[in-house]
Structures are given as structure tokens and as C-alpha cells.
Amino acid sequence: MDFGLVLQTDPPASEVVGLMRRAERNGFRYGWTFDSAVLWQEPFVIYSRILEHTTSLVVGPMVTNPGTRTWEVTASTFATLNEMYGNRTVCGIGRGDSAMRVAGRKPNTLARLGEAMGVIRDLAEGREADVDGRTLRLPWVRDGKLPVWMAAYGPKALALAGQKADGFILQLADPYLTESMVKAVRTAASDAGRDPDAITICVAAPAYVGDDLAHARDQSRWFGGMVGNHVADLVARYGEHSGLVPDALTDYIKRREGYDYSHHGRTDNASADFVTDEIVDRFCLLGPVEAHIEKLEALRALGVDQFALYNMHDAKEATIDAYGSEIIPHFQD
């Protein structure tokens, strides 16, 4: 199992770079960041510094979207980083939540997302692609490689991930939900004539190592609020108890009352007050080292290839170090 570190690009950027360097020294293989141009600093600029100051870390957004940048710009940015540092990027992509809504736009449609994934991958790898009716190619790309991993929750999005993505990003670490969603992605891949085992499965969630479970929960409760944004979209689309979305995912947002993006992904997010301790425990990895290993073993048994650790709390360095010294070595085959 691989491990990734997920950060927000809060200033100073040097701190983001420093944490990524620390993560690589501790055995993390991937470095991810949020991508929301209004709320945080521009990640692709910071990726260049991360790549310069690490040796093998693979970097990318968790997640970008097809609406805030034109597709040829996104592809060219990835391809430039790859040319400079040797194919060490991955494109995590989704419909767009904070990046779109903070700017007053709606998330992208799945049709647009599906088209964008193919175009961005083709252009970044040096092939021709159709963009707004015009055939384009980046003539300077040589031996480019860009895996595209899609974030998804709902049935249509899971199907799209199976049909077109190189990897699937699930932003919660509940084994029950993980099992059903991974199965949906792989079934869609098989139905599309693809090898379902070739799709990389990445689970992303907060992790907090320590014996004070109440404190760990309070430091991670924001995540349930963030996931609730996507769940609310699913309920609006499919309704409650539709059979298309697991009740275990939709029931917890009944007390949700709006969302304040100015505190998105932060421990002081009052918009997460509806998130119960049970949901925090299900969605996150909390507690002593043994509890983390037990849950990660369960996820690995379900086919999870990478755990990406959201590191937005008051113990960033300690969590990275605990994973490096006691958890990651357990999963090195």
C-alpha cells in the first residue's frame, strides 16, 4: 500500500514544501494539495518547488476540476512539470466543489468531466485532442505520462470513474462504503471492457495518531462537513432512501444547515457541528497506532492501493513522523 500526504496551500508556501519533504523522508510516495484558487495559494506554482526539493515524490491536486482552467492550460502545466522533473505528477480531478462554488459557479457536469479527463490526459502525453472544436497538440511533449484519477461518490460518477479514469479517489475511509463504491467502479470498468484491477484505488481521509480520542475527533470533524457538501448534492439529485446511494452515507446530513466555505477544510469550521462522533470515527483514522493499522489493513483487503492522509490539524509533524516510524513500515511488502 502506498501513502500520500494531503495539504492545503496556505501561506507560507515554504511550510507546504517543508511538510512534503518531511513526508518523503518518512516513506510517503505522493504529495497532494487542495486546488481552490480563491481560498488558497496556487498549487501548481508550489508543486514546482516541491518537486525541486524532493527526489521521487509524485504530486498532484486532490482535486482540480474542468472549470477553473482551460483544459489545454491544465495539460500544459502538468506536462511542463513532468518535463522538468520526470513524470512525477498525477491529475486528481472531480466536478468541483469549493473552487467552483466560491466563485459563484455550479460544479461541472459529469459529461464535461468525462470529456475533460480524456483531453487533459491526451494533451499532457503528447497526443492530439479536440478542444472546443479545434484539434490541438502540445508539440514539445516527449514521453509524457499523466495518470488521471477521478473523485466520486454517486452512482453515475462511480460509473464514469470505472469507464474512463486511471484511478478512483474516495474521500472517506469507511470500510463498508469503500467496499460498495470500489465494487461499483470495478464493475463499470469491466462492463466498459477495461481491466478493473488496473484502476488504482485511493482512499483519502484525515488521520490523527494519539490516545485522546475526543481531541482527535474535534480536530477531524471538519471532514464530515466537507463530505456533506457532496452528499447533499446526491440527496438533491436522487432523494433520500433511493437505493442508488447508501443510506449510511446520506442519513448523517439531515441536521446539516448550509456551509461556510471560508472555513473549508479547517478545524474551526462551525458548519460541521451536525457531524456526530460516530461519523468522524467511520470516515477518519483516529486513535493509537494499532487502530490505524487495523483500519488500513481492512481497507487494503478491499483493494485500496493508497491511503492519502489529510493533515489539517494541530499535529501535522507528529502525524507524519508517527506514520513514517510505525505505520508505513507495516505496509511495505
Side-chain angles (χ1 to χ4, degrees), residues 8-11 34-41 97-99 102 259-266:
Q8 294 166 333
T9 51
D10 289 314
F34 283 29
D35 177 18
S36 190
V38 175
L39 297 178
W40 301 287
Q41 291 184 325
D97 179 29
S98 62
V102 167
Y259 191 81
D260 182 0
Y261 279 96
S262 66
H263 299 281
H264 188 58
R266 302 191 186 279

Side-chain angles (χ1 to χ4, degrees), residues 178-193:
T178 298
E179 182 176 20
S180 65
M181 293 184 182
V182 169
K183 181 179 179 181
V185 169
R186 288 183 166 158
T187 297
S190 180
D191 290 346

Side-chain angles (χ1 to χ4, degrees), residues 21 33 37 67 75 93 98 106-107 119 131 151 194 232 247 258 263 302 309:
R21 293 180 68 188
T33 74
I93 194 167
S98 62
K106 294 181 180 180
V119 168
V131 181
R194 305 180 68 200
D247 290 348
H263 299 281
L302 296 173
L309 187 162

Side-chain angles (χ1 to χ4, degrees), residues 66 69-75 112 115-116 118-124 127-138:
R69 298 177 180 84
T70 60
W71 303 348
E72 69 274 16
V73 169
T74 299
R112 179 175 173 83
E115 183 182 0
V119 168
I120 291 168
R121 183 195 294 114
D122 284 343
L123 290 176
R127 295 184 294 276
E128 291 184 346
D130 184 84
V131 181
D132 296 329
R134 180 182 292 271
T135 300
L136 301 179
R137 185 175 70 86
L138 304 181

Side-chain angles (χ1 to χ4, degrees), residues 15-57:
E15 181 176 334
V16 178
V17 176
L19 288 169
M20 290 298 187
R21 293 180 68 188
R22 190 185 198 110
E24 184 179 58
R25 291 196 301 270
N26 276 281
F28 289 79
R29 292 194 59 238
Y30 285 76
W32 303 91
T33 74
F34 283 29
D35 177 18
S36 190
V38 175
L39 297 178
W40 301 287
Q41 291 184 325
E42 172 54 41
F44 286 93
V45 175
I46 299 173
Y47 294 157
S48 187
R49 292 289 289 176
I50 294 170
L51 290 165
E52 182 182 4
H53 289 281
T54 56
T55 58
S56 60
L57 198 72

Side-chain angles (χ1 to χ4, degrees), residues 78-113:
F78 277 114
T80 300
L81 292 171
N82 283 338
E83 191 278 330
M84 293 173 68
Y85 300 104
N87 287 338
R88 290 170 53 199
T89 66
V90 56
C91 177
I93 194 167
R95 293 178 59 227
D97 179 29
S98 62
M100 297 296 287
R101 287 177 165 131
V102 167
R105 307 183 185 106
K106 294 181 180 180
N108 297 270
T109 65
L110 288 175
R112 179 175 173 83
L113 174 57

Side-chain angles (χ1 to χ4, degrees), residues 187-220:
T187 297
S190 180
D191 290 346
R194 305 180 68 200
D195 178 2
D197 293 328
I199 298 176
T200 302
I201 307 297
C202 174
V203 161
Y208 197 106
V209 180
D211 295 325
D212 188 343
L213 192 55
H215 181 73
R217 285 169 175 159
D218 287 342
Q219 289 290 304
S220 307

